[in-house]
Amino acid sequence: MLQSHLQDTWVTPTATDASAAEVRDAITGDLVCHVSSQGLDLAGALDHARGVGGPALRALTFHQRADLLDALASAVRARREELYALSARAGATLFDARYDVDGGIRVLRDYATRARRELPDAPYLVEGPAERLARGDDFLGVHLCTPSPGLMLQVNAFNFPVWAPLEKLAQALLAGMPSVVKPATPTAYLTEHLVRIVTEAGALPPGALQMIVGSVRPALDLLLEQDVLSFTGSAATAETLRTQPNLVARSIRFNAEADSVNAIVLAPDVQPGSPLFEAFVREAVTEMTVKAGQKCTAIRRVLVPQEHELAALDAISAELAGVSIGNPAAEGVRMGAVVSLEQREDVRRAARAIADSGRFVHGDPDKVRVVDADPERGAFLDTMLISADPDAAAPHEVEPFGPAATVMAYRDTTHATDLVARGRGSLAASVVSDDLAWTLAFVQDAAPWHGRLHLMDSANMAQTTGHGSPLPALRHGGPGRAGGGSEMAGTRGVLDLMQRTALQASPRLLDALRPADPA
Ligand code: NAP
């Protein structure tokens, strides 16, 4: 029975094995743990965050909070091998595990450096130069960013059990807010191990980090006006949480990072066989196979000009044929399993729904050859490339959260931008082209539908960090279906978590606050 970490103590729920949820190994099907929040004092945990963790963090300056991020990063780095090993139980290869674990460490380090460089050695920030608000010079206006005396409740998705809590913690800690983390059930044991590493290292002040394993629903009614609910998961769950009556009644801040049907668009100027075309193929295949396609930013739609459709289908299929699937511990395995047998069923259903408007060009939802594992006990799936009618609904609506993508041919630029927009808002899209005019026209139409656009050309293709990688310097989050949220975006994201209060005052008062200004 997985424990929760509440009020700086490890607590076991009162549930029995029979009444708790079972979590199974994605590779072997063996039982890993039971998960439940039955009998946990959730109200006590939230009070502890507000009464103990919050005051301790608010008393620190931005630079002292940055030191906490460094301490956290060092603690996780020192024991990251344990997290890699455990990640294999969730179906992850070593590469996938590093993406999650080292990616989380990098966000912490990045934010610590940024905070020291861009924020003052003070607990709050006076933003920008003062504005003159009247004819004379004695009545000025600025914005003051102060930490909210509340907590961040993180409700996380299963696919990034280490990166997601660390990425949210980095911003919350800098903003002076304690966190209560609720990991998704299928990978809760990984977040639990992360929290053990952090607490055993004594990296954070009491009350700054707590973790609720199991259902967090009763805690939603206990959130208050100064709290933030930071959600990552499916659009369906986001919809439920967004309209939760307590959230609505108290105007509680809600950030949603939801699913999206992300696209890559090959422009007409890129000739099959060219280095840029090869880079496009590698990008599509990487996105399908890293973490077995279980990335919120993963490419689900591959849009190509009609004249290059066959070449794209052939090239991507050929590359997928070389991907070896199986036990992450076995030599040469490039793709592991999806997280659970239930997830495998979900992906199969989604892929079939899309293929109804087309056909499977590579892979079969019901068959897979695996290395050193039982394909039935483990949650293995073949990579699946679907060719579909671009004007059908399913490829733009259904998110197969696994190793599947759909190739669709567009007629002209307008058709391509219309198709991209049919995702109703996405986290990220890639455009592959050396044609500046085509790309600029496409960007203007596609940008409002996307949180991030990754524009790949012959000049940057060797340096790109890839379609799927959210970076601390840039905004992560997308409009519409993608949740309408925003995370990271450098220190702007930290300030957005704080209360921004307009101050109208005399220069004497503003000068007294000014030592907090980075200038
Ligand atoms: P999910 O089923 O929506 O669950 C997400 C989280 O919400 C889990 O912790 C879950 O807990 C919890 N939850 C579910 N129903 C709830 C309720 N009524 N009240 C409170 N909490 C509730 O998503 P998932 O299957 O874990 O993750 C996969 C999805 O996440 C994909 O669609 C993917 O695109 C999306 N995702 C988006 C991003 C992004 O940054 N935009 C990142 C990663 C993943 P339990 O597990 O205990 O039910």
Side-chain angles (χ1 to χ4, degrees):
M1 187 70 69
L2 218 54
Q3 291 186 308
S4 285
H5 189 68
L6 306 179
Q7 305 190 48
D8 303 309
T9 308
W10 288 97
V11 189
T12 308
T14 54
T16 60
D17 286 358
S19 62
E22 275 185 353
V23 179
R24 294 196 167 266
D25 187 307
I27 305 296
T28 62
D30 295 344
L31 183 71
V32 178
C33 60
H34 286 97
V35 165
S36 171
S37 61
Q38 191 179 305
L40 299 181
D41 179 7
L42 304 188
L46 301 196
D47 285 348
H48 187 66
R50 294 191 196 104
V52 177
L57 292 173
R58 291 198 297 277
L60 302 178
T61 68
F62 285 113
H63 292 193
Q64 289 167 326
R65 294 177 204 149
D67 293 342
L68 294 181
L69 302 196
D70 277 334
L72 205 52
S74 301
V76 180
R77 192 176 193 289
R79 293 176 61 184
R80 61 183 171 169
E81 304 284 340
E82 296 167 30
L83 292 165
Y84 297 162
L86 214 46
S87 299
R89 305 206 73 179
T93 63
L94 182 58
F95 183 88
D96 298 338
R98 285 192 168 135
Y99 203 97
D100 187 30
V101 178
D102 295 9
I105 296 170
R106 270 198 295 277
V107 175
L108 291 170
R109 294 270 189 225
D110 184 290
Y111 261 101
T113 307
R114 265 170 214 286
R116 287 195 199 91
R117 193 176 60 217
E118 297 169 17
L119 298 172
D121 196 13
Y124 59 84
L125 169 80
V126 180
E127 234 182 353
E131 293 266 350
R132 220 171 67 168
L133 301 176
R135 270 167 188 264
D137 291 329
D138 290 333
F139 189 59
L140 305 179
V142 292
H143 286 98
L144 175 70
C145 297
T146 51
S148 299
L151 58 90
M152 177 187 278
L153 177 61
Q154 297 187 10
V155 177
N156 290 333
F158 73 79
N159 59 333
F160 281 106
V162 178
W163 180 84
L166 292 182
E167 171 255 336
K168 291 182 185 180
L169 255 180
Q171 293 152 87
L173 285 170
L174 283 177
M177 286 187 115
S179 295
V180 179
V181 176
K182 182 268 183 280
T185 294
T187 51
Y189 57 92
L190 266 152
T191 308
E192 187 256 9
H193 198 68
L194 169 73
V195 173
R196 277 194 196 275
I197 290 172
V198 173
T199 53
E200 284 168 16
L204 295 177
L209 171 62
Q210 300 180 78
M211 179 190 54
I212 299 168
V213 168
S215 173
V216 81
R217 278 165 220 194
L220 301 176
D221 289 329
L222 304 172
L223 292 177
L224 300 177
E225 288 79 0
Q226 293 286 337
D227 298 336
V228 174
L229 176 57
S230 181
F231 170 76
T232 302
S234 63
T237 310
E239 193 179 322
T240 310
L241 296 186
R242 195 188 298 283
T243 51
Q244 205 267 346
N246 183 44
L247 253 68
V248 176
R250 295 179 189 269
S251 306
I252 291 165
R253 287 174 289 169
F254 175 61
N255 193 69
E257 297 294 339
D259 60 43
S260 65
V261 191
N262 310 291
I264 187 168
V265 184
L266 182 75
D269 65 294
V270 185
Q271 293 306 311
S274 66
L276 189 54
F277 184 85
E278 298 302 328
F280 148 78
V281 171
R282 277 196 303 277
E283 200 64 28
V285 171
T286 300
E287 288 298 312
M288 289 175 71
T289 54
V290 171
K291 292 182 72 68
Q294 298 166 110
K295 273 183 18 266
C296 51
T297 49
I299 292 168
R300 310 292 177 199
R301 297 179 292 160
V302 182
L303 302 181
V304 296
Q306 277 174 339
E307 62 273 25
H308 298 329
E309 184 183 12
L310 285 181
L313 286 168
D314 284 352
I316 298 170
S317 299
E319 185 85 10
L320 289 173
V323 174
S324 136
I325 301 165
N327 186 337
E331 185 76 22
V333 164
R334 186 159 146 206
M335 192 176 95
V338 295
V339 76
S340 63
L341 296 179
E342 294 75 26
Q343 187 63 24
R344 178 170 72 180
E345 273 320 302
D346 271 6
V347 179
R348 282 175 171 163
R349 256 197 307 276
R352 284 195 203 103
I354 297 169
D356 279 350
S357 55
R359 65 194 168 97
F360 286 99
V361 175
H362 173 91
D364 179 330
D366 298 309
K367 285 195 210 122
V368 58
R369 282 179 44 201
V370 298
V371 179
D372 193 23
D374 179 337
E376 283 315 308
R377 282 181 66 79
F380 294 101
L381 277 170
D382 199 357
T383 52
M384 289 171 273
L385 191 66
I386 301 162
S387 168
D389 173 359
D391 296 315
H396 307 286
E397 289 174 2
V398 179
E399 182 202 39
F401 203 61
T406 307
V407 176
M408 287 171 280
Y410 64 84
R411 292 185 293 277
D412 50 34
T413 311
T414 311
H415 193 209
T417 46
D418 286 352
L419 291 176
V420 166
R422 287 185 61 185
R424 296 188 295 111
S426 298
L427 294 168
S430 282
V431 179
V432 183
S433 178
D434 279 328
D435 183 335
L436 199 60
W438 194 91
T439 307
L440 288 178
F442 188 89
V443 163
Q444 287 180 51
D445 284 339
W449 291 102
H450 293 88
R452 178 164 58 84
L453 286 178
H454 170 241
L455 310 177
M456 196 160 85
D457 60 21
S458 298
N460 68 21
M461 66 184 184
Q463 290 181 17
T464 171
T465 49
H467 165 100
S469 300
L471 300 170
L474 299 177
R475 177 176 185 230
H476 174 59
R481 176 183 178 152
S486 178
E487 286 181 348
M488 300 201 289
T491 48
R492 263 175 300 157
V494 174
L495 299 178
D496 287 346
L497 276 178
M498 302 176 80
Q499 174 57 38
R500 194 177 259 114
T501 304
L503 283 189
Q504 296 170 287
S506 61
R508 185 177 64 95
L509 251 156
L510 297 184
D511 284 348
L513 281 169
R514 274 297 174 188
D517 195 307

